[in-house]
Each structure stands twice: as structure tokens, then as C-alpha cells.
């Protein structure tokens, strides 16, 4: 049984080397996207969450890398990744355990919001989180 992915929620990209305001200007004035004004403050990780369509965002992530919330080498939620919502984070972790797929978790955004991170065979980081617990589907810009 595979994990049940319901939606793609965000693509996180690094914005190193440029002032965050210049990157925001590009995404706002060139691409026409609006910043999510409800983005929580994440210590040491400046940036913006840009709304895309009805469900989805591009997370522009700055700050030191590795970040203050990194758990170790290759375990930094501020690294580039794609995030998808699952029907049940508990069932997703159980399926990863059953399949023997290594993963790690983070609650960097808030204590109530668990993120599960796994690498695909090429080393691309994928975030899984519970449907309804992400701002990606909430349009409060």
C-alpha cells in the first residue's frame, strides 16, 4: 500500500545571495503572486510564502544554511524541497516504516504541525504533512 498523497502544497526554494525584498519584488511584480501575510515567524529563517492558485505556494527561504532548526546533515527543513499533503501523517509514517524508508520529522513551524521529510532515490527532499494543517490552502493574503 502506497502513501496517499492528496495535493501538492509548496515548493521551497532558497533565496541566498539576494536581499529577500528583491526576490519578493520579482515574485510580486514580475510573476504577479501575492505573499501570504499569515506566514508565521520562524526564528532564523526569513522569507516569504507566495500564494499560487487556489492551493499551493512557493516558499522563498533565506537565512543561514544550515538553519537554526536543522537536525543534522541532510536534515534541514529550510533546504529546497517539495511538500505534499497526506490523508494521515500517522498512516504515512507507518507506511514508511513498513517499507523501510528512512525519514525524519520536524515541528519547526509550530508544535502542533508535524512535517515528515524523506529523500527520493536522487536525493530530492520531499515533505509530507497532514491535510488541513498547512497554510498552503488558506488564502489570507
Amino acid at each position: 500500500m502506497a502513501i496517499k498523497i492528496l495535493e501538492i502544497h509548496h515548493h521551497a526554494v532558497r533565496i541566498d545571495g539576494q536581499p529577500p525584498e528583491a526576490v519578493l519584488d520579482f515574485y510580486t511584480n514580475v510573476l504577479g503572486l501575492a505573499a501570504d501575510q499569515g506566514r508565521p515567524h520562524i526564528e532564523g529563517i526569513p522569507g516569504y510564502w507566495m500564494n499560487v492558485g487556489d492551493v499551493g505556494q512557493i516558499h522563498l527561504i533565506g537565512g543561514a544554511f544550515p538553519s537554526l532548526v536543522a537536525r543534522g546533515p541532510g536534515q534541514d527543513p529550510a533546504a529546497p524541497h517539495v511538500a505534499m499533503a497526506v490523508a494521515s501523517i500517522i498512516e504515512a509514517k507507518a507506511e514508511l516504516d513498513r517499507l523501510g524508508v528512512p525519514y525524519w520529522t520536524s515541528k519547526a513551524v509550530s508544535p502542533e504541525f508535524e512535517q515528515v521529510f524523506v529523500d527520493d532515490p536522487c536525493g530530492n527532499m520531499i515533505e509530507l504533512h497532514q491535510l488541513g494543517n498547512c497554510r498552503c490552502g488558506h488564502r489570507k493574503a
Side-chain angles (χ1 to χ4, degrees):
M1 169 180 104
I3 294 172
K4 183 171 174 136
I5 302 292
L6 302 177
E7 298 172 343
I8 185 168
H9 275 185
H10 68 260
H11 181 166
V13 298
R14 295 290 307 174
I15 57 171
D16 303 322
Q18 295 293 321
E21 299 74 23
V23 180
L24 174 65
D25 183 68
F26 174 83
Y27 279 84
T28 301
N29 295 319
V30 175
L31 298 182
L33 303 177
D36 178 348
Q37 297 302 311
R39 178 192 185 267
H41 173 76
I42 306 169
E43 188 65 36
I45 304 177
Y48 301 95
W49 292 354
M50 307 304 296
N51 294 325
V52 179
D54 293 332
V55 176
Q57 293 182 327
I58 298 172
H59 289 188
L60 308 175
I61 301 175
F65 191 73
S67 74
L68 297 175
V69 297
R71 297 190 52 185
Q75 294 186 352
D76 190 345
H81 63 273
V82 63
M84 296 178 265
V86 296
S88 167
I89 199 69
I90 293 168
E91 290 176 13
K93 290 192 304 184
E95 183 63 5
L96 290 170
D97 289 337
R98 186 187 76 76
L99 294 170
V101 175
Y103 64 90
W104 56 278
T105 64
S106 175
K107 293 187 177 185
V109 174
S110 78
E112 302 82 35
F113 181 59
E114 182 175 30
Q115 300 160 286
V116 173
F117 291 90
V118 61
D119 289 340
D120 75 8
C122 297
N124 298 300
M125 191 164 69
I126 298 166
E127 172 190 332
L128 304 174
H129 58 255
Q130 180 79 37
L131 181 69
N133 286 349
C134 177
R135 289 195 53 81
C136 299
H138 303 281
R139 294 298 172 242
K140 297 178 182 174

